[in-house]
Amino acid sequence: MKTIKINSELWERAQEYAKQAGYSSASEFVEHILERELSRAEKEADHKEVERRLKGLGYLE
Amino acid sequence: MNPRNYVAVVSGMPRSGTSLMMQMLNSGGLPVLTDNSRAPDTHNPRGYFEYEPVKHLGRDASWIGLARGKAVKIIYRLLRYLPPELEYRVIFVERELTDVFASQQDMLRARGDAAADQDEKRIIAAFQAEISEARAWLAAQPNMHTMYAPYGEIIANPEKWAGELSRFLDGLDTAAMAASVDPRLRHHRIPSPALLS
């Protein structure tokens, strides 16, 4: 496990939202958001890599 | 008179056997839409059967009417740009992605393209994800009927697959189609227990 620093006000908002949304803790909520955003960014990066490959092969403009 | 009022689309991943499929259909009597802008080479000795405007399908699909009653090669990424008002029969060629990757590597190296340095595992995983998305998308299109054609099986049993293709496309010369398949054209074959796509 690693510890990260987070703005106090943002942490309070995260705690409040996590409770409302049914997360067991604000940490779980933050982990979920990080995981979701990283997956999205990685998928987008992979998509661009495939695009670069298809262009290199002459199949996309 | 050509009885087909639909567009026969040959699709899949580049280097999955789409040129071979075009060659089979052409041999079987189905006209193909091609401008021969890409000449045959060592990677595709019998030609690419490509039509340059396909590359620009995302911004100009005005030519698609020319493909009615014919076969046209369109890679999986561009299928979503096909105008919805026409009917399509899509032959989606599938090949083991390790073989596809290896064949693409040859071509990229020959072209001196930096994409030849991409990581194999990452690209294959991305290919798998994109093919899954393409399959789901195809299944949801009411104007598209799709037949999945496994490249390895076509090479191993061209007579059977010529028959399948003929049924899917309302009758073709199956003997000529099967005869057009040359097993020596199988560019790359890396043993693998499962079809990845």
Side-chain angles (χ1 to χ4, degrees), chain A residues 46-47 53 56-57 61, chain B residues 38 56 59 104-105 122:
Chain A
D46 287 348
H47 189 78
R53 191 171 185 85
L57 291 163
E61 62 178 342
Chain B
R38 203 170 188 178
H56 320 301
R59 57 182 167 84
Q104 290 180 353
Q105 286 297 96
R122 180 185 182 187

Side-chain angles (χ1 to χ4, degrees), chain B residues 19 26 52 54 75 86 115 117 124 128 135 143 152 159 197:
Chain B
S19 298
N26 195 29
E52 182 69 14
V54 168
I75 66 161
L86 292 184
D117 296 331
I124 287 179
Q128 281 179 301
R135 289 180 74 118
N143 60 329
E159 292 80 11
S197 58

Side-chain angles (χ1 to χ4, degrees), chain B residues 77-189:
Chain B
R77 271 264 187 126
L78 298 173
L79 290 172
R80 67 190 61 201
Y81 299 116
L82 286 168
E85 60 270 20
L86 292 184
E87 293 288 321
Y88 303 92
R89 295 206 189 163
V90 181
I91 298 150
F92 200 102
V93 186
E94 296 186 298
R95 186 180 184 188
E96 288 195 39
L97 291 177
T98 45
D99 294 354
V100 167
F101 184 88
S103 183
Q104 290 180 353
Q105 286 297 96
D106 272 358
M107 189 179 272
L108 289 167
R109 286 190 191 111
R111 294 166 74 104
D113 195 285
D117 296 331
Q118 289 174 317
D119 180 74
E120 180 174 358
K121 279 187 181 169
R122 180 185 182 187
I123 292 296
I124 287 179
F127 279 169
Q128 281 179 301
E130 294 199 3
I131 288 174
S132 294
E133 284 174 12
R135 289 180 74 118
W137 184 85
L138 280 166
Q141 306 312 306
N143 60 329
M144 295 188 182
H145 297 283
T146 306
M147 171 182 169
Y148 290 92
Y151 179 78
E153 289 183 29
I154 292 166
I155 297 289
N157 196 347
E159 292 80 11
K160 179 199 166 206
W161 284 94
E164 298 283 346
L165 289 161
S166 177
R167 274 188 288 281
F168 186 63
L169 295 173
D170 301 310
L172 293 166
D173 181 343
T174 55
M177 289 168 79
S180 73
V181 177
D182 179 356
R184 288 174 301 178
L185 279 177
R186 195 160 196 194
H187 322 281
H188 283 273
R189 183 72 181 88

Side-chain angles (χ1 to χ4, degrees), chain A:
Chain A
M1 280 292 188
K2 298 287 181 188
T3 305
I4 60 167
K5 288 185 177 177
I6 191 166
N7 172 287
S8 300
E9 191 187 333
L10 185 60
W11 180 246
E12 279 172 26
R13 286 168 60 200
Q15 282 183 308
E16 195 172 322
Y17 180 79
K19 197 182 291 178
Q20 284 173 12
Y23 288 94
S24 64
S25 67
S27 293
E28 186 188 68
F29 167 60
V30 170
E31 269 191 32
H32 172 78
I33 296 297
L34 275 175
E35 178 60 42
R36 192 182 68 191
E37 284 305 300
L38 283 171
S39 293
R40 189 191 57 75
E42 285 162 1
K43 189 178 173 188
E44 199 174 299
D46 287 348
H47 189 78
K48 282 186 180 159
E49 280 299 285
V50 170
E51 191 165 290
R52 185 161 76 89
R53 191 171 185 85
L54 299 180
K55 281 181 181 170
L57 291 163
Y59 288 90
L60 291 181
E61 62 178 342

